[in-house]
Amino acid sequence: MTTEIPDLPTEITPQSQDFGRWYIDVVRRAELADYSPVKGCMVIRPYGYAIWELIQQGLDRRFKATGHVNAYFPLLIPESLLTREAEHVEGFAPQVAWVTQGGNEKLEERLVIRPTSETIIGTMYAKWVQSWRDLPILINQWANVVRWEKVTRLFLRTTEFLWQEGHTAHETAEEAQEETLRMLAVYKDFAENELAMPVMDGQKSESEKFAGAERTYSIEALMRDGRALQAGTSHNLGQNFAKVFDIKFQARDKSVQHVWGTSWGVSTRMIGGVIMTHGDDGGLILPPKIAPYQVVMVPIMRGNWRETVLPKAKAIRDQLVARGIRVMLDDRDSQTPGWKFNEWEMRGVPLRLEIGPKDIEKSQVVLARRDTREKAFVPMEGLAAHAESLLNTIQQALFDRAVAYRTEHTTETDSYATFKEVMEGRPGFVVSPWCESATCEASIKTETQATIRNIPFASAPVAGKSCIKCGEPAKVHAWFAKSY
């Protein structure tokens, strides 16, 4: 039986009509990804993969700057390893894919297709660590993982996806906690400075933490439909996995101790976050820092343009490239300039440069911003420096706009009636006092579909306030939202 793959959309559904449909239309029309014949899996197309490569490069630089190195661990994990950490296996059991046969032979022990790698990496660390001198271990891997999802959506939740997962081992609890928060800060810095996506950093509730972790921290972003997206997580594993996998070392005082562990990761869902943070009814709007093409050049095809306009366009392209700008010179004569304008706008290229015979006469070009659609005549003299400055302006403007949207869609309330009212429709974040009871948290989720995204580090004091649900004394301000 073959799985039917839907035809590519010819038009983009407006956000106000159906945001979910808009999102899928943009992903497919912009050729970021497509459905595959394997249910729940996606094909990442070259344009989408180019964005992922830029995300990889930006993160990898930060990982290495903080002392981490890359390695690779097997895709297949023996069942006996996964089942050794009870809370961990219980958390992942519904999503695990199994390999039961190799060639024509049934396997003596089932193999798990990696949903995450704490177990296999912990096993190896137990072999590698003997002394405090072997610590810390600061390893990251870029890999694919498989989680058997029932409901999937391109980039946001697929059965197989790409990610990085850091796994570290430390001498002390303090070092592990410092590492956990350091990497969360790396994620926040990357999301805000490269993706222009503002995020709220904080600690997850007990019921929302990673299976097997002592504490989980996250960065949470707000999409333009008022739903939250968990954009990255960092986990303090304490000594849980070290005790299960016997990762021990001789300490400085000659005693034998278990290491303290962390793990942290972000995935291709970050691309989904970028689309839903910045996009509009025209399609994608890409922040310049992760745009495969930061400038698209469209020569105006009049007269003998290949002899007059094109050489000048190529010379300008070379100037831009020499300045480190990623450029696409679209000199196809199979499409009109107008068609190209619409196509590259839909693909979210931050800056469009138009050049025709009249522009050459006047030693100028037209620059059009994707974010504001503003157009301006710009002299050819100093053009590369001007374009670079404008790209920086666009990057900052996208971030500022997203911050403004989040501010407008964040409500603070101590009233449960108001809370429920706000949560209807496209609510955004709702900040309310909470008693830290899992029962209240579960009731709120059942009644409103809202979950606690995290308890931000910058949370306001709750002295004298009552829990939004039960009326008992509140312990924290929690950030609630409907989420992806």
Side-chain angles (χ1 to χ4, degrees), residues 423-447:
M423 276 298 169
E424 291 177 11
R426 294 183 175 177
F429 285 123
V430 179
V431 186
S432 294
W434 174 54
C435 64
E436 292 190 328
S437 152
T439 305
C440 286
E441 184 181 5
S443 296
I444 291 168
K445 184 177 179 179
T446 301
E447 292 171 18

mmCIF file of all heavy atoms in Angstrom, residues 423-447:
data_model
loop_
_atom_site.group_PDB
_atom_site.id
_atom_site.type_symbol
_atom_site.label_atom_id
_atom_site.label_comp_id
_atom_site.label_asym_id
_atom_site.label_seq_id
_atom_site.Cartn_x
_atom_site.Cartn_y
_atom_site.Cartn_z
ATOM 1 N N MET A 423 -7.927 32.222 28.161
ATOM 2 C CA MET A 423 -7.426 31.015 27.500
ATOM 3 C C MET A 423 -8.297 30.538 26.333
ATOM 4 O O MET A 423 -7.921 29.632 25.606
ATOM 5 C CB MET A 423 -7.286 29.864 28.510
ATOM 6 C CG MET A 423 -5.981 29.887 29.273
ATOM 7 S SD MET A 423 -4.540 29.719 28.217
ATOM 8 C CE MET A 423 -3.230 30.103 29.371
ATOM 9 N N GLU A 424 -9.450 31.131 26.161
ATOM 10 C CA GLU A 424 -10.279 30.773 25.019
ATOM 11 C C GLU A 424 -9.746 31.480 23.779
ATOM 12 O O GLU A 424 -9.332 32.626 23.834
ATOM 13 C CB GLU A 424 -11.743 31.162 25.273
ATOM 14 C CG GLU A 424 -12.393 30.313 26.354
ATOM 15 C CD GLU A 424 -13.814 30.750 26.657
ATOM 16 O OE1 GLU A 424 -14.344 31.565 25.882
ATOM 17 O OE2 GLU A 424 -14.377 30.278 27.660
ATOM 18 N N GLY A 425 -9.748 30.809 22.664
ATOM 19 C CA GLY A 425 -9.269 31.432 21.427
ATOM 20 C C GLY A 425 -7.752 31.366 21.316
ATOM 21 O O GLY A 425 -7.156 30.331 21.525
ATOM 22 N N ARG A 426 -7.133 32.525 20.987
ATOM 23 C CA ARG A 426 -5.673 32.595 20.822
ATOM 24 C C ARG A 426 -5.093 33.451 21.943
ATOM 25 O O ARG A 426 -4.901 34.656 21.793
ATOM 26 C CB ARG A 426 -5.332 33.193 19.457
ATOM 27 C CG ARG A 426 -5.768 32.292 18.314
ATOM 28 C CD ARG A 426 -5.364 32.862 16.993
ATOM 29 N NE ARG A 426 -5.685 31.926 15.911
ATOM 30 C CZ ARG A 426 -5.503 32.182 14.629
ATOM 31 N NH1 ARG A 426 -5.007 33.343 14.261
ATOM 32 N NH2 ARG A 426 -5.805 31.286 13.710
ATOM 33 N N PRO A 427 -4.794 32.837 23.072
ATOM 34 C CA PRO A 427 -4.582 33.586 24.297
ATOM 35 C C PRO A 427 -3.205 34.199 24.518
ATOM 36 O O PRO A 427 -3.092 35.277 25.066
ATOM 37 C CB PRO A 427 -4.837 32.527 25.373
ATOM 38 C CG PRO A 427 -4.465 31.228 24.718
ATOM 39 C CD PRO A 427 -4.729 31.384 23.265
ATOM 40 N N GLY A 428 -2.129 33.511 24.160
ATOM 41 C CA GLY A 428 -0.798 33.964 24.548
ATOM 42 C C GLY A 428 -0.432 33.411 25.910
ATOM 43 O O GLY A 428 -0.986 32.408 26.369
ATOM 44 N N PHE A 429 0.519 34.070 26.585
ATOM 45 C CA PHE A 429 0.931 33.650 27.920
ATOM 46 C C PHE A 429 -0.018 34.231 28.961
ATOM 47 O O PHE A 429 -0.451 35.378 28.851
ATOM 48 C CB PHE A 429 2.343 34.159 28.232
ATOM 49 C CG PHE A 429 3.447 33.398 27.533
ATOM 50 C CD1 PHE A 429 4.350 34.066 26.720
ATOM 51 C CD2 PHE A 429 3.597 32.027 27.716
ATOM 52 C CE1 PHE A 429 5.383 33.387 26.096
ATOM 53 C CE2 PHE A 429 4.623 31.334 27.091
ATOM 54 C CZ PHE A 429 5.510 32.009 26.280
ATOM 55 N N VAL A 430 -0.313 33.436 29.979
ATOM 56 C CA VAL A 430 -1.050 33.942 31.133
ATOM 57 C C VAL A 430 -0.195 33.638 32.365
ATOM 58 O O VAL A 430 0.183 32.496 32.608
ATOM 59 C CB VAL A 430 -2.442 33.299 31.271
ATOM 60 C CG1 VAL A 430 -3.151 33.835 32.503
ATOM 61 C CG2 VAL A 430 -3.287 33.578 30.026
ATOM 62 N N VAL A 431 0.119 34.693 33.119
ATOM 63 C CA VAL A 431 0.975 34.567 34.294
ATOM 64 C C VAL A 431 0.092 34.612 35.534
ATOM 65 O O VAL A 431 -0.629 35.591 35.751
ATOM 66 C CB VAL A 431 2.003 35.728 34.349
ATOM 67 C CG1 VAL A 431 2.983 35.518 35.489
ATOM 68 C CG2 VAL A 431 2.733 35.858 33.010
ATOM 69 N N SER A 432 0.146 33.532 36.323
ATOM 70 C CA SER A 432 -0.729 33.443 37.492
ATOM 71 C C SER A 432 -0.030 32.756 38.657
ATOM 72 O O SER A 432 0.869 31.936 38.451
ATOM 73 C CB SER A 432 -1.998 32.640 37.140
ATOM 74 O OG SER A 432 -2.784 33.335 36.198
ATOM 75 N N PRO A 433 -0.459 33.077 39.895
ATOM 76 C CA PRO A 433 0.127 32.423 41.069
ATOM 77 C C PRO A 433 -0.309 30.961 41.155
ATOM 78 O O PRO A 433 -1.451 30.624 40.818
ATOM 79 C CB PRO A 433 -0.424 33.237 42.243
ATOM 80 C CG PRO A 433 -1.628 33.941 41.717
ATOM 81 C CD PRO A 433 -1.443 34.114 40.251
ATOM 82 N N TRP A 434 0.599 30.119 41.619
ATOM 83 C CA TRP A 434 0.348 28.665 41.664
ATOM 84 C C TRP A 434 0.984 28.085 42.926
ATOM 85 O O TRP A 434 2.064 28.507 43.335
ATOM 86 C CB TRP A 434 0.923 28.026 40.398
ATOM 87 C CG TRP A 434 0.893 26.524 40.338
ATOM 88 C CD1 TRP A 434 -0.193 25.711 40.511
ATOM 89 C CD2 TRP A 434 1.995 25.644 40.073
ATOM 90 N NE1 TRP A 434 0.156 24.386 40.373
ATOM 91 C CE2 TRP A 434 1.506 24.323 40.090
ATOM 92 C CE3 TRP A 434 3.360 25.861 39.806
ATOM 93 C CZ2 TRP A 434 2.332 23.210 39.873
ATOM 94 C CZ3 TRP A 434 4.173 24.754 39.582
ATOM 95 C CH2 TRP A 434 3.659 23.450 39.610
ATOM 96 N N CYS A 435 0.312 27.091 43.496
ATOM 97 C CA CYS A 435 0.745 26.508 44.771
ATOM 98 C C CYS A 435 1.768 25.383 44.605
ATOM 99 O O CYS A 435 2.220 24.805 45.589
ATOM 100 C CB CYS A 435 -0.470 25.969 45.518
ATOM 101 S SG CYS A 435 -1.278 24.596 44.625
ATOM 102 N N GLU A 436 2.119 25.054 43.361
ATOM 103 C CA GLU A 436 3.047 23.967 43.008
ATOM 104 C C GLU A 436 2.441 22.577 43.201
ATOM 105 O O GLU A 436 3.150 21.579 43.225
ATOM 106 C CB GLU A 436 4.381 24.075 43.768
ATOM 107 C CG GLU A 436 5.212 25.282 43.349
ATOM 108 C CD GLU A 436 6.629 25.264 43.901
ATOM 109 O OE1 GLU A 436 6.839 24.735 45.020
ATOM 110 O OE2 GLU A 436 7.529 25.777 43.218
ATOM 111 N N SER A 437 1.103 22.523 43.312
ATOM 112 C CA SER A 437 0.443 21.224 43.421
ATOM 113 C C SER A 437 0.195 20.643 42.025
ATOM 114 O O SER A 437 -0.345 21.318 41.143
ATOM 115 C CB SER A 437 -0.899 21.384 44.153
ATOM 116 O OG SER A 437 -1.821 20.396 43.737
ATOM 117 N N ALA A 438 0.577 19.371 41.851
ATOM 118 C CA ALA A 438 0.355 18.688 40.575
ATOM 119 C C ALA A 438 -1.134 18.519 40.301
ATOM 120 O O ALA A 438 -1.575 18.489 39.151
ATOM 121 C CB ALA A 438 1.054 17.337 40.579
ATOM 122 N N THR A 439 -1.931 18.420 41.359
ATOM 123 C CA THR A 439 -3.388 18.258 41.206
ATOM 124 C C THR A 439 -3.994 19.502 40.576
ATOM 125 O O THR A 439 -4.789 19.421 39.632
ATOM 126 C CB THR A 439 -4.047 17.994 42.582
ATOM 127 O OG1 THR A 439 -3.413 16.876 43.180
ATOM 128 C CG2 THR A 439 -5.538 17.731 42.427
ATOM 129 N N CYS A 440 -3.597 20.673 41.073
ATOM 130 C CA CYS A 440 -4.095 21.930 40.492
ATOM 131 C C CYS A 440 -3.632 22.071 39.046
ATOM 132 O O CYS A 440 -4.405 22.468 38.172
ATOM 133 C CB CYS A 440 -3.601 23.122 41.301
ATOM 134 S SG CYS A 440 -4.452 23.318 42.879
ATOM 135 N N GLU A 441 -2.377 21.727 38.817
ATOM 136 C CA GLU A 441 -1.813 21.819 37.464
ATOM 137 C C GLU A 441 -2.599 20.948 36.490
ATOM 138 O O GLU A 441 -2.958 21.384 35.389
ATOM 139 C CB GLU A 441 -0.349 21.379 37.520
ATOM 140 C CG GLU A 441 0.403 21.502 36.216
ATOM 141 C CD GLU A 441 1.853 21.026 36.341
ATOM 142 O OE1 GLU A 441 2.242 20.510 37.408
ATOM 143 O OE2 GLU A 441 2.589 21.162 35.339
ATOM 144 N N ALA A 442 -2.913 19.718 36.912
ATOM 145 C CA ALA A 442 -3.655 18.778 36.052
ATOM 146 C C ALA A 442 -5.082 19.261 35.817
ATOM 147 O O ALA A 442 -5.623 19.144 34.707
ATOM 148 C CB ALA A 442 -3.654 17.388 36.672
ATOM 149 N N SER A 443 -5.705 19.818 36.854
ATOM 150 C CA SER A 443 -7.088 20.320 36.720
ATOM 151 C C SER A 443 -7.154 21.473 35.723
ATOM 152 O O SER A 443 -8.056 21.540 34.891
ATOM 153 C CB SER A 443 -7.624 20.800 38.073
ATOM 154 O OG SER A 443 -7.717 19.728 38.965
ATOM 155 N N ILE A 444 -6.189 22.374 35.837
ATOM 156 C CA ILE A 444 -6.152 23.524 34.922
ATOM 157 C C ILE A 444 -5.989 23.040 33.487
ATOM 158 O O ILE A 444 -6.660 23.529 32.572
ATOM 159 C CB ILE A 444 -5.003 24.487 35.313
ATOM 160 C CG1 ILE A 444 -5.323 25.157 36.644
ATOM 161 C CG2 ILE A 444 -4.770 25.536 34.230
ATOM 162 C CD1 ILE A 444 -4.150 25.906 37.275
ATOM 163 N N LYS A 445 -5.126 22.056 33.284
ATOM 164 C CA LYS A 445 -4.900 21.510 31.937
ATOM 165 C C LYS A 445 -6.168 20.874 31.378
ATOM 166 O O LYS A 445 -6.536 21.073 30.212
ATOM 167 C CB LYS A 445 -3.765 20.488 31.970
ATOM 168 C CG LYS A 445 -3.403 19.931 30.600
ATOM 169 C CD LYS A 445 -2.228 18.968 30.696
ATOM 170 C CE LYS A 445 -1.879 18.389 29.325
ATOM 171 N NZ LYS A 445 -0.714 17.473 29.382
ATOM 172 N N THR A 446 -6.865 20.119 32.229
ATOM 173 C CA THR A 446 -8.098 19.457 31.799
ATOM 174 C C THR A 446 -9.174 20.472 31.428
ATOM 175 O O THR A 446 -9.877 20.325 30.426
ATOM 176 C CB THR A 446 -8.634 18.537 32.924
ATOM 177 O OG1 THR A 446 -7.627 17.575 33.235
ATOM 178 C CG2 THR A 446 -9.909 17.822 32.499
ATOM 179 N N GLU A 447 -9.279 21.523 32.232
ATOM 180 C CA GLU A 447 -10.366 22.495 32.043
ATOM 181 C C GLU A 447 -10.078 23.531 30.953
ATOM 182 O O GLU A 447 -11.009 24.077 30.365
ATOM 183 C CB GLU A 447 -10.645 23.217 33.376
ATOM 184 C CG GLU A 447 -11.253 22.302 34.424
ATOM 185 C CD GLU A 447 -11.338 22.949 35.805
ATOM 186 O OE1 GLU A 447 -11.254 24.196 35.889
ATOM 187 O OE2 GLU A 447 -11.481 22.207 36.792
#
